């Protein structure tokens, strides 16, 4: 418990001096004799081969982009090609000591890293394993192309396979490693440990930390490296990733047998430029990037600047840092100094740097420099070098020939919605890995379960009267039961967020979990919403189930990229190679004013690739969370703070004790009726029921109340059936009306059931204002009167009804004119 770490005022207030650790700069001293002994000539030549292969591969892409042809093969490539010409020594040196179990994540400029990583894995794997990987990947489709007429060893074949799969991906072909769904900036090949490359600057930082967390928590072999650019040092998510990776708790609170901090190395591929902005000297203030480490922890993140123009200096650093990271002493920061001779992209005129500067680096070119080193030290003869070069050119040429041909390498068939079929993995798995979940006590001994056992599972007694709140199981208990169940079934499942542990989770949903789970399965995260979501992406795509929590959905703003670009897109960008069993819990607040009380469902619904759920009853809260926690898709799980303490009022017998799931995408009919259909999302359900009571008692009219509960996917069948019966529809939720998901529903209902509608679908959302403080909230969120008045003004005049709020079409026009 953190209570064991006493914050002692006498220690805190004592004078002293903080010392920072020295950060080494370029300390590698090359010694050709030692290097020959350590690596052996064959491996040194191999490194050169890999660098040259990357150089040729990217020179080919450069020729294709700028001249439309390479070595007589014409091709027009519409997509991007961010080349790393000049940076090859960094990639090859880094990957030399890495095997298939080690992961690297990268950026938009990662073709070289993919090739270096795959080749390094190929050299280490035996032929049987290589064949198995190639035969199984995408049903062996890319292999069938590259193996045709291939002469050479299985390792040779695997190298050609890597070039072909990568290039086909860059060209957007079905035989690409990700069926062409990623393209140049997102290409990767997971079986050899080349993990997603991210077109969002710094995007890989927190995802890589999540992958390292997965390895640590689940005791999996290997280290994880985040290859991120020097300019990503200005990105908030990069800093959040560093914060998350360097938490004290890995050492102070976690069981030492877990092994310490996640094995992560932040490798800043420092080419001294963003696109056209120079980091040191212009956009950043660190002078030397490695200085960042000094501010993070006592170890200064074991930071070092290393010479990225010498593959042996890079290999040396990685070898040493792997030990630190695997030993739990990380995180590690490397500032790998390099230079891209090529422009940011082939169209870059390099107006932000001088010709002289480029020439300075060209004179020290890492590929040429290493060939001189090999020749001088007699590891390679000039004729052999020429042979090597021509073999590489023919490899690259063959890959281009095969990948550029539309007959041999077609694109996927978009006419049959094959991209749609990849938006979700739609898998269901009880546990993401075999093994027994690590827990502190047997499930039956959970104090909260015991206390739940004393409460009524229903909110109503036998006579249908409301049971006092303290005596009935509430929605927050339902969520707890779903969480507890999965924690005791899936050994990979972890949960984290702010105040998740000793506090009991925001709004007491997790109260009682601390007693059941060790630290590494339930912990407090730093106030780093981006890293909370981003690490969860990394954890889940590495094979683990995770629940991340962001307290208020308003805080999704802090995790915008991680939710909207990463969580939503990696399954489909990987062509479902990756699965994402990730549930992100967020709540819709109230009482805390404008920055804590907005319903952001529409924003999430708008982004393809996310499942979106919003239960409004305890039965659904448990059944839907159970469903989400068995799935392999990313789910944004909305909860409403207003109803955390509500008990089950709809299901006879109340919320079941045992396990059950709610059917995905199916709305729930809460009350039958024939005159109106009122559809709600979230807590507005209860306002709709109040309105329905008035309709019945005062006007003798009945409303069918439908709780959508799912936003995506959503099956409209029950809704259309209801509309056919009533002809009149009101939609209501707590989200601001403009752009709300209700309008998507209204539009769909109008298109699907136009012939059955007696009038326009009425949308009753919250006002298009800031949420005012608690005392004025009723003027903001939909109330039962708004629903009644909207019916009266827009659908069906209620005899003798006096409208007390403004719901007329004239008012809709006025509000839109004013933009409120
Ligand atoms: C979040 C984000 N902002 C801006 C961009 C546009 N952009 C693409 S690459 C780049 C420069 C990145 O520099 P660095 O991280 O040093 O990587 P390098 O290009 O030098 O490899 C920028 C600004 C982006 N892709 N993502
Ligand atoms: Mg850069």
């Amino acid at each position: 418990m953190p209570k064991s770490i006493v914050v002692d005022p006498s220690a805190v207030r004592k004078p002293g001096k903080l010392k920072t650790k020295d950060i080494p700069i370029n300390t590698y001293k090359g010694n050709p004799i030692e290097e020959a002994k350590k690596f052996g000539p064959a491996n040194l030549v191999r490194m050169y081969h890999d660098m040259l292969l990357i150089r040729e591969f990217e020179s080919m892409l450069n020729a294709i982009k700028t001249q439309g042809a390479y070595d007589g093969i014409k091709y027009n490539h519409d997509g991007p090609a961010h080349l790393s010409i000049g940076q090859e020594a960094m990639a090859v040196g880094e990957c030399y000591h890495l095997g298939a179990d080690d992961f690297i994540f990268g950026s938009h400029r990662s073709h070289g890293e993919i090739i270096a990583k795959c080749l390094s894995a190929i050299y280490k794997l035996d032929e049987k394993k290589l064949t198995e990987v190639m035969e199984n990947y995408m049903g062996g489709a890319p292999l069938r192309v590259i193996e045709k007429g291939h002469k050479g060893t299985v390792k040779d074949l695997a190298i050609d396979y890597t070039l072909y799969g990568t290039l086909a991906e860059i060209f957007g072909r079905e035989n690409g490693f990700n069926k062409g769904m990623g393209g140049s900036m997102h290409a990767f090949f997971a079986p050899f440990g080349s993990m997603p490359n991210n077109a969002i600057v710094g995007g890989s930082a927190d995802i890589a930390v999540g992958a390292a967390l997965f390895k640590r928590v689940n005791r999996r072999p290997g280290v994880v490296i985040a290859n991120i650019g020097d300019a990503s040092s200005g990105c908030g998510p990069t800093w959040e990733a560093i914060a998350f990776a360097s938490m004290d708790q890995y050492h102070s609170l976690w069981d030492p047998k877990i092994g310490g901090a996640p094995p992560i190395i932040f490798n800043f591929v420092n080419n001294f430029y963003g696109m056209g902005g120079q980091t040191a000297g212009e956009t950043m203030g660190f002078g030397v990037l490695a200085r960042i480490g000094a501010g993070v922890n006592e170890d200064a993140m074991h930071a070092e600047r290393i010479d990225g123009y010498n593959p042996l200096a890079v290999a040396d650093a990685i070898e040493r840092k792997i030990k630190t990271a695997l030993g739990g002493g990380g995180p590690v920061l490397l500032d790998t100094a390099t230079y891209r001779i090529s422009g940011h992209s082939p169209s870059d005129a390099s107006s932000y740097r001088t010709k002289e500067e480029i020439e300075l680096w060209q004179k020290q070119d890492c590929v040429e420099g290493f060939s001189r080193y090999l020749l001088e030290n007699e590891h390679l003869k000039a004729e052999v070098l020429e042979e090597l070069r021509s073999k590489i050119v023919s490899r690259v040429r063959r890959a281009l020939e095969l990948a550029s041909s539309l007959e041999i390498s077609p694109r996927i068939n978009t006419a049959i919605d094959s991209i749609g079929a990849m938006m979700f993995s739609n898998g269901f798995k009880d546990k993401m890995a075999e093994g027994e979940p690590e827990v502190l006590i047997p499930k039956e001994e959970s104090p909260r379960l015991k206390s739940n056992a004393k409460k009524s599972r229903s909110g109503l007694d036998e006579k249908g009267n409301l049971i006092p709140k303290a005596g009935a199981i509430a929605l927050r208990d339902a969520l707890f039961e779903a969480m507890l169940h999965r924690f005791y079934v899936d050994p990979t499942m972890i949960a984290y967020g702010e105040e998740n542990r000793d506090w009991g989770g925001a709004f007491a949903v997790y109260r009682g979990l601390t007693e059941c789970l060790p630290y590494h399965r339930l912990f407090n995260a730093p106030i780093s919403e981006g890293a909370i979501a981003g690490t969860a992406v990394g954890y889940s795509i590495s094979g683990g189930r995770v629940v991340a929590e962001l307290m208020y959905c308003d805080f999704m703003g802090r995790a915008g990229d991680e939710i909207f670009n990463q969580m939503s897109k990696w399954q489909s960008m990987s062509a479902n190679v990756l699965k994402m069993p990730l549930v992100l819990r967020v709540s819709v607040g109230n009482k805390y004013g404008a920055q804590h009380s907005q319903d952001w469902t529409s924003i999430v619904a708008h982004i393809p690739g996310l499942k979106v759920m919003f239960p409004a009853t305890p039965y659904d809260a448990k059944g839907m969370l159970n469903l989400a926690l068995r799935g392999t898709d990313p789910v944004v799980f909305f909860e409403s703070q207003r109803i955390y303490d509500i008990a089950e009022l709809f299901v006879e017998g109340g919320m079941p004790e045992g396990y059950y799931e709610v059917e995905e995408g199916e709305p729930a009919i809460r009350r039958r009726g024939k005159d109106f259909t009122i559809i709600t999302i979230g807590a507005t359900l209860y306002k709709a029921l109040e309105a329905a009571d008035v309709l019945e008692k005062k006007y003798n009219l009945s409303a069918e109340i439908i709780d959508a509960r799912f936003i995506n996917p959503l099956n409209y069948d029950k809704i259309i059936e209801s509309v056919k019966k009533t002809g009149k529809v009101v939609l209501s939720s707590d989200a601001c009306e403009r752009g709300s998901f209700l309008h998507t529903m209204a539009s769909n209902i109008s298109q699907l059931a136009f012939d059955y509608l007696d009038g326009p679908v009425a949308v009753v959302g919250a006002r298009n204002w800031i949420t005012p403080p608690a005392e004025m909230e009723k003027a903001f969120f939909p109330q039962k009167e708004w629903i009644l008045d909207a019916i009266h003004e827009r659908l069906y005049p209620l005899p003798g009804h006096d409208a007390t709020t403004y719901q007329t079409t004239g008012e809709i026009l006025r509000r839109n004119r004013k933009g409120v």
Side-chain angles (χ1 to χ4, degrees):
M1 304 284 267
K3 285 173 203 150
S4 63
I5 309 171
V6 175
V7 183
D8 178 356
S10 54
V12 170
R13 302 184 67 203
K14 208 159 69 186
K17 199 183 243 178
L18 207 58
K19 293 204 177 107
T20 48
K21 241 185 84 184
D22 283 350
I23 294 179
I25 294 184
N26 296 327
T27 48
Y28 182 75
K29 288 194 183 64
N31 175 337
I33 296 166
E34 289 304 314
E35 287 163 349
K37 259 197 254 161
K38 182 175 169 73
F39 295 98
N43 285 330
L44 291 169
V45 171
R46 195 197 93 190
M47 277 195 225
Y48 174 66
H49 165 272
D50 294 0
M51 285 162 63
L52 199 60
L53 182 61
I54 296 171
R55 174 70 57 94
E56 192 59 32
F57 185 86
E58 292 213 308
S59 300
M60 173 271 290
L61 279 173
N62 193 42
I64 291 291
K65 281 300 283 184
T66 55
Q67 296 150 35
Y70 167 83
D71 203 16
I73 302 175
K74 287 193 182 147
Y75 185 62
N76 174 35
H77 172 52
D78 287 334
H82 298 91
L83 308 177
S84 62
I85 293 175
Q87 302 184 181
E88 297 86 349
M90 189 300 294
V92 172
E94 170 179 84
C95 293
Y96 182 82
H97 290 291
L98 304 181
D101 287 335
D102 300 303
F103 292 171
I104 62 169
F105 289 80
S107 72
H108 55 288
R109 198 181 301 292
S110 287
H111 304 151
E113 291 151 28
I114 302 169
I115 295 173
K117 182 69 176 68
C118 289
L119 264 56
S120 167
I122 290 167
Y123 300 133
K124 293 180 179 75
L125 294 170
D126 62 31
E127 295 197 340
K128 187 166 163 268
K129 179 70 194 166
L130 288 173
T131 308
E132 195 183 295
V133 167
M134 294 188 287
E135 282 289 352
N136 291 333
Y137 198 76
M138 301 294 179
L143 177 63
R144 295 289 89 85
V145 169
I146 198 74
E147 71 181 357
K148 213 168 176 185
H150 192 274
K151 292 188 192 79
T153 63
V154 172
K155 289 204 189 240
D156 264 333
L157 179 64
I159 293 172
D160 286 339
Y161 176 87
T162 300
L163 298 184
Y164 172 63
T166 306
L167 192 57
E169 184 58 35
I170 293 170
F171 291 167
R173 306 306 173 89
E174 189 167 9
N175 274 345
F177 281 151
N178 306 106
K179 294 196 173 175
M181 289 297 95
S184 162
M185 296 197 284
H186 312 107
F188 69 101
F189 188 60
F192 291 159
S194 162
M195 293 296 276
N197 292 304
N198 218 300
I200 299 293
V201 172
S204 275
D206 50 23
I207 294 180
V209 172
L213 181 70
F214 172 79
K215 285 188 183 290
R216 182 61 80 212
V217 165
N218 297 284
R219 302 353 173 250
R220 297 294 166 89
V223 74
V224 181
I225 303 183
N227 286 323
I228 45 180
D230 50 310
S232 81
S233 57
C235 300
T238 301
W239 286 90
E240 290 196 3
I242 290 175
F244 197 106
S246 55
M247 290 191 288
D248 278 339
Q249 64 177 295
Y250 302 125
H251 309 287
S252 58
L253 298 169
W254 290 31
D255 187 333
K257 78 168 192 282
I258 307 301
I264 177 82
I265 299 174
F266 295 98
N267 180 36
F268 285 89
V269 182
N270 185 1
N271 58 19
F272 299 90
Y273 286 93
M275 281 171 64
Q278 210 169 60
T279 45
E282 186 181 11
T283 62
M284 300 302 291
F286 42 52
V288 175
L289 193 151
R291 193 191 307 279
I292 285 175
V296 172
N297 60 15
E298 220 176 323
D299 297 320
M301 292 182 76
H302 310 276
E304 280 187 40
R305 163 165 287 179
I306 55 171
D307 177 10
Y309 255 40
N310 179 357
L312 304 181
V314 182
D316 163 72
I318 294 287
E319 188 180 22
R320 289 183 287 111
K321 301 303 181 184
I322 285 176
K323 285 189 194 127
T324 306
L326 289 180
V332 169
L333 185 151
L334 289 177
D335 164 7
T336 306
T338 181
Y339 196 78
R340 66 167 159 76
I341 310 272
S342 46
H344 166 70
S345 60
S347 61
D348 171 3
S350 282
S351 51
Y352 49 88
R353 53 183 181 173
T354 63
K355 233 169 80 219
E356 291 73 26
E357 181 185 284
I358 301 175
E359 281 166 11
L360 284 176
W361 285 89
Q362 271 172 325
K363 275 189 201 138
Q364 305 202 2
D365 178 42
C366 61
V367 182
E368 285 307 308
F370 203 58
S371 76
R372 276 197 302 276
Y373 167 90
L374 294 178
L375 291 168
E376 277 162 20
N377 291 289
E378 297 178 4
H379 299 314
L380 192 62
K381 291 199 170 59
E383 327 69 271
V384 182
L385 193 142
E386 277 319 307
E387 252 173 56
L388 207 77
R389 277 186 210 276
S390 77
K391 194 170 170 200
I392 280 173
V393 171
S394 41
R395 271 191 198 282
V396 170
R397 193 176 192 286
R398 180 154 185 264
L400 175 62
E401 209 165 21
L402 297 173
S404 62
S405 156
L406 273 170
E407 287 76 49
I408 298 170
S409 307
R411 299 206 159 81
I412 59 164
N413 183 357
T414 49
I416 55 164
D417 200 16
S418 29
I419 299 180
M422 287 187 267
M423 291 312 298
F424 296 110
S425 50
N426 282 317
F428 290 95
K429 272 184 136 178
D430 272 327
K431 35 165 85 180
M432 294 305 296
E434 288 311 311
E436 280 309 304
E438 291 168 305
V439 292
L440 300 178
I441 53 174
K443 188 174 162 198
E444 310 70 59
E445 284 175 26
S446 150
R448 185 154 178 191
L449 271 194
K450 284 185 185 165
S451 118
N452 284 2
K454 293 184 196 135
K455 295 181 184 174
S456 162
R457 310 252 352 144
S458 169
L460 303 173
D461 64 18
E462 306 84 66
K463 292 186 189 136
N465 297 320
L466 278 177
I467 290 173
K469 278 193 171 149
I473 299 260
L475 191 143
R476 59 162 60 84
D477 304 309
L479 296 168
F480 168 84
E481 288 187 8
M483 291 289 292
L484 193 74
H485 171 84
R486 194 55 60 194
F487 266 124
Y488 277 80
V489 170
D490 188 340
T492 70
M493 168 145 152
I494 61 170
Y496 52 88
E498 293 148 29
E499 342 312 343
N500 269 198
R501 199 171 167 92
D502 306 82
W503 185 282
F507 320 107
V509 171
Y510 291 169
R511 201 192 302 137
L513 282 183
T514 305
E515 289 82 340
C516 301
L517 299 162
Y519 259 100
H520 62 283
R521 299 193 70 202
L522 176 75
F523 58 90
N524 291 333
I527 317 296
S528 303
E529 282 81 4
I532 290 171
T535 52
V537 168
Y539 189 91
S540 59
I541 60 173
S542 301
R545 185 176 297 288
V546 53
V547 180
E549 196 245 10
L550 291 190
M551 277 197 189
Y552 288 76
C553 75
D554 312 62
F555 305 163
M556 287 199 289
R558 275 284 178 92
D561 177 56
E562 286 73 9
I563 300 169
F564 304 135
N565 276 318
Q566 312 294 347
M567 181 175 167
S568 58
K569 295 180 182 167
W570 274 113
Q571 280 204 122
S572 40
M573 282 203 292
S574 77
N576 293 163
V577 166
L578 303 176
K579 308 286 182 280
M580 205 182 289
L582 158 55
V583 175
L584 183 73
R585 291 185 48 239
V586 297
S587 71
V588 178
N590 65 315
K591 290 201 267 189
Y592 277 63
Q595 294 177 330
H596 282 61
S597 310
Q598 204 176 336
D599 172 326
W600 280 25
T601 43
S602 63
I603 301 177
V604 177
H606 181 69
I607 305 295
L610 296 171
K611 291 190 172 175
V612 191
M613 307 184 183
F614 197 163
T617 67
Y619 182 93
D620 282 0
K622 180 169 171 178
M624 289 166 72
L625 190 54
N626 277 342
L627 174 78
L629 288 178
R630 198 168 62 85
T632 58
D633 283 310
V635 177
V636 180
F637 200 85
F638 280 86
E639 297 157 20
S640 169
Q641 289 174 26
R642 214 167 335 121
I643 52 172
Y644 271 129
D645 62 359
I646 204 144
E648 180 54 46
L649 304 175
F650 302 97
V651 173
E652 216 177 304
M655 193 247 303
E657 241 178 287
Y659 184 86
Y660 63 94
E661 289 171 7
V662 168
E663 193 179 347
E664 185 170 88
E666 286 302 321
I669 299 178
R670 300 297 179 196
R671 185 181 289 187
R672 292 284 175 186
K674 58 180 180 29
D675 300 311
F676 306 100
T677 300
I678 306 179
I679 307 170
T680 61
I681 301 173
T684 323
L685 165 67
Y686 298 92
K687 303 286 177 197
L689 287 164
E690 288 173 28
D693 287 342
V694 176
L695 286 171
E696 206 156 310
K697 286 192 192 115
K698 212 163 155 192
Y699 303 105
N700 200 25
L701 294 164
S702 68
E704 183 139 296
I705 308 285
I706 302 182
D707 172 4
R709 63 185 177 177
F710 290 93
I711 291 171
N712 192 47
L714 175 60
N715 182 358
Y716 278 80
D717 289 354
K718 277 190 197 135
I719 292 171
I720 304 304
E721 274 314 302
S722 180
V723 176
K724 280 183 183 171
K725 191 167 53 176
T726 65
K728 300 175 196 64
V729 189
V730 182
L731 305 177
S732 191
S733 85
D734 284 333
C736 289
E737 172 273 334
R738 189 174 53 243
S740 124
F741 186 69
L742 299 180
H743 280 297
T744 302
M745 291 178 80
S747 158
N748 283 336
I749 292 168
S750 301
Q751 291 180 65
L752 298 169
F754 185 75
D755 290 344
Y756 305 98
L757 284 169
D758 297 340
V761 178
V763 168
V764 181
R767 299 300 302 272
N768 298 314
W769 303 338
I770 55 162
T771 315
E775 293 77 5
M776 291 174 272
E777 236 172 44
K778 282 199 169 142
F780 175 80
F781 290 118
Q783 304 296 318
K784 80 169 183 238
E785 293 78 12
W786 302 20
I787 296 171
L788 292 169
D789 292 352
I791 289 174
H792 178 68
E793 300 285 6
R794 290 190 241 157
L795 290 177
Y796 182 86
L798 301 170
H801 181 77
D802 271 336
T804 53
T805 65
Y806 300 104
Q807 307 297 337
T808 62
T809 48
E811 175 65 3
I812 295 176
L813 279 173
R814 186 196 72 81
R815 289 178 187 176
N816 276 285
R817 260 197 308 267
K818 296 283 178 195
V820 294

